[in-house]
Amino acid sequence: MLRASHRVPIQLCRRLLFSTTPTPTLPLDPILNVPQLQKDLTDLAPSMAKSLTTVGYWTNLPTHINTPPLIPSTIVRTIRKQCIALRKEGRFEQSVSESIDDTGVVTTFEKEGVWAYEPDGADYDTAPDLLTYMSIVIGMLPPLLNNAVNLHNAVQVAANDDRRTLSLSNEAFNAKLAVTSPGSTYPLHVDNTLGITGSPQDTR
């Protein structure tokens, strides 16, 4: 983000001295190394699948295993700055959730002290690295995990005759950012866009 000013041509800067018309800020290009991220996701998918199916989570932070993080700290800081910029632009709104009782009645409630935001393409000029990172992870990771988990399960079929398969979608998803104030809480939950019955109207 700090390099943006260096991208303005010298002759344009000189013109600004004689003009009262503000010049729009040039959009930033992402500094995220896209090919490297794609390669790392592909290489790490088997270990992700194994960890998710055995312990329920995955991490490759240096404190856990001797491999570098998925994205370097410089990119993490850049994405964080871009998220802060979006917050300052007023893109975060009061976060809400819903509960559905046994009769199907939906009750919507606010999550106290939680503000959320769903990124879209209009935010690219403010957060190019954030949107690029999310786009690649959402597009690549589901099929990679599906293949890795299903391959692992296929090996186990002979032992327990369990033919469960994983079918994560890279088309039906909900990407959110959230910021919380001190002391904020909300119920533990799982977002399920197709619910228990497989219907878009059933968000349990």
Side-chain angles (χ1 to χ4, degrees), residues 16-46:
L16 290 177
L17 296 175
F18 303 96
S19 173
T20 58
T21 303
T23 302
T25 302
L26 295 177
L28 297 175
D29 292 325
I31 62 173
L32 177 68
N33 187 332
V34 172
Q36 186 63 52
L37 176 59
Q38 293 171 324
K39 180 181 183 302
D40 290 343
L41 285 172
T42 302
D43 293 343
L44 290 169

Side-chain angles (χ1 to χ4, degrees), residues 82 86 89 91 117-131:
Q82 293 173 3
L86 291 168
E89 290 180 0
R91 294 288 282 117
Y117 144 74
E118 297 185 19
D120 59 43
D123 301 313
Y124 183 83
D125 286 349
T126 302
D129 291 276
L130 169 67
L131 267 67

Side-chain angles (χ1 to χ4, degrees), residues 73-100:
S73 58
T74 53
I75 300 297
V76 173
R77 288 193 294 269
T78 296
I79 290 177
R80 180 178 178 85
K81 290 178 181 178
Q82 293 173 3
C83 292
I84 293 173
L86 291 168
R87 171 83 163 132
K88 291 180 178 179
E89 290 180 0
R91 294 288 282 117
F92 286 73
E93 300 176 349
Q94 172 65 58
S95 181
V96 298
S97 191
E98 62 183 27
S99 61
I100 305 177

